[in-house]
């Protein structure tokens, strides 16, 4: 369950600490673990900014520009990135990576949509 400044439990984005917290989005849609790019590993978690089109921590692209995700319902899948921002990170970006190009916006949107949903 995230407590990043500006987001507390279910305000304004849904957070999940137990199964009963899945009210606005189901566990089939929310990822639990993800391959992270080795250059953005920093705290054993991956941060996703659901409001602004930036990648905070970078998912991996080690599988042909794709990444492994496991979901809260127990299934797993490989997701292929269509933009260039995620596969293009080859060193520590030193901060946020913008999702400016159409493919990058699509990748950021997919990541956001599989992280949470707005509650308020």
């Amino acid at each position: 369950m995230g407590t990043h400044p500006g987001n507390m439990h279910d305000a304004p984005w849904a957070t999940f600490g137990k199964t009963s917290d899945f009210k606005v989005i189901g566990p089939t849609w929310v990822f639990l673990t993800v391959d992270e790019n080795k250059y953005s590993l920093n705290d054993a978690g991956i941060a996703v900014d659901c409001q602004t089109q930036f990648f905070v921590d970078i998912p991996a692209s080690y599988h042909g520009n794709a990444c492994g995700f496991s979901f809260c319902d127990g299934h797993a899948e490989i997701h292929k990135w269509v933009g260039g921002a995620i596969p293009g990170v080859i060193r520590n970006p030193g901060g946020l990576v913008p999702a400016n190009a159409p493919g990058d916006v699509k990748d950021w949107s997919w990541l956001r949509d599989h992280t949470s949903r707005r509650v308020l």
Side-chain angles (χ1 to χ4, degrees), residues 15-71:
T15 56
F16 315 99
K18 53 189 174 183
T19 305
S20 61
D21 289 335
F22 288 98
K23 296 174 186 160
V24 297
I25 185 175
T28 301
W29 289 97
V30 178
F31 74 87
L32 179 64
T33 61
V34 58
D35 294 336
E36 187 174 352
N37 183 294
K38 66 181 180 181
Y39 296 113
S40 74
L41 286 173
N42 54 12
D43 61 0
I46 188 164
V48 177
D49 187 331
C50 291
Q51 294 189 151
T52 56
Q53 293 178 189
F54 286 95
F55 298 104
V56 179
D57 291 330
I58 312 300
S61 58
Y62 304 134
H63 306 288
N65 290 339
C67 180
F69 286 86
S70 71
F71 289 79

